[in-house]
Amino acid sequence: MHACRAFGVRMRHRAGEDVADALADPDRGVAHLAHTLLTDPERLRDCVAEAPPAFDHAEQLLRAVAALTAAGLAPKAPVSCGEADRQGDGTYDVIGYGESESESESEGEGEVWISTLGRFAADHDENPAVRRALESAGFRWIDAELGAVHVTGLGVYCFGRRDPLDVHSLLFYWQDQ
């Protein structure tokens, strides 16, 4: 924990000042300290509402399609993963795309996944033209290396177990119901 910032949070709290801004401190220890000092549940709810503003998934899909179109990748209409797999449900939508105008940048047709949980995108083919288009539109690309990172501490129930899941599974989860 960054001792100087933690000391500052403690002093502000003792002086009766609001320390809610310290919830966003990059040091988890300082943020946790601020959390333990805040006792007003309404103030905490206000902080949460300010920090992850309402997420508009429909707008995100429009932005993804526009970026792929601008890159000449001929995107198809987005469909839910359940519709794409003809059963089940999950946490992503699928956007198919056709061949690029520049054959050297594309490997032909493919599909990209857009998470319903945030600005995350992945493509099993790792098409660099798709990646560039979506990153330029504000999406975070989940490549194989990042997708393989296991996240501990989440109690996500997956196929009868609560083991740590990798980033890719958490963001692009599909279940055949």
Side-chain angles (χ1 to χ4, degrees):
M1 176 172 13
H2 194 276
C4 292
R5 289 198 308 268
F7 178 75
V9 169
R10 284 187 191 282
M11 295 309 299
R12 287 178 32 216
H13 180 260
R14 285 187 184 161
E17 296 177 24
D18 185 15
V19 296
D21 63 320
L23 290 170
D25 194 281
D27 186 308
R28 289 185 203 168
V30 174
H32 179 71
L33 171 64
H35 173 262
T36 62
L37 296 174
L38 290 169
T39 57
D40 180 7
E42 288 303 314
R43 180 66 181 127
L44 285 171
R45 285 187 196 94
D46 290 344
C47 289
V48 170
E50 293 169 13
F55 172 68
D56 186 348
H57 185 62
E59 185 275 328
Q60 175 174 282
L61 289 174
L62 290 173
R63 196 170 67 247
V65 168
L68 294 170
T69 300
L73 292 165
K76 296 169 178 56
V79 296
S80 71
C81 60
E83 186 178 337
D85 290 321
R86 297 191 177 130
Q87 65 179 354
D89 198 8
T91 60
Y92 64 97
D93 288 294
V94 177
I95 301 176
Y97 57 88
E99 292 191 13
S100 169
E101 293 172 0
S102 168
E103 287 293 321
S104 64
E105 288 190 318
S106 175
E107 297 177 15
E109 294 187 10
E111 65 182 32
V112 64
W113 296 359
I114 306 295
S115 177
T116 61
L117 303 176
R119 294 183 326 251
F120 306 104
D123 179 351
H124 284 296
D125 297 326
E126 295 286 333
N127 185 320
V130 172
R131 180 177 185 161
R132 279 192 305 273
L134 292 176
E135 284 182 334
S136 71
F139 287 87
R140 173 72 191 264
W141 190 259
I142 306 300
D143 60 16
E145 183 180 355
L146 179 57
V149 173
H150 277 82
V151 179
T152 60
L154 295 177
V156 178
Y157 187 76
C158 182
F159 296 104
R161 300 171 57 171
R162 291 193 188 275
D163 294 333
L165 295 176
D166 60 54
V167 169
H168 191 273
S169 296
L170 290 168
L171 293 175
F172 305 105
Y173 183 79
W174 173 74
Q175 181 176 359
D176 60 344
Q177 302 169 339

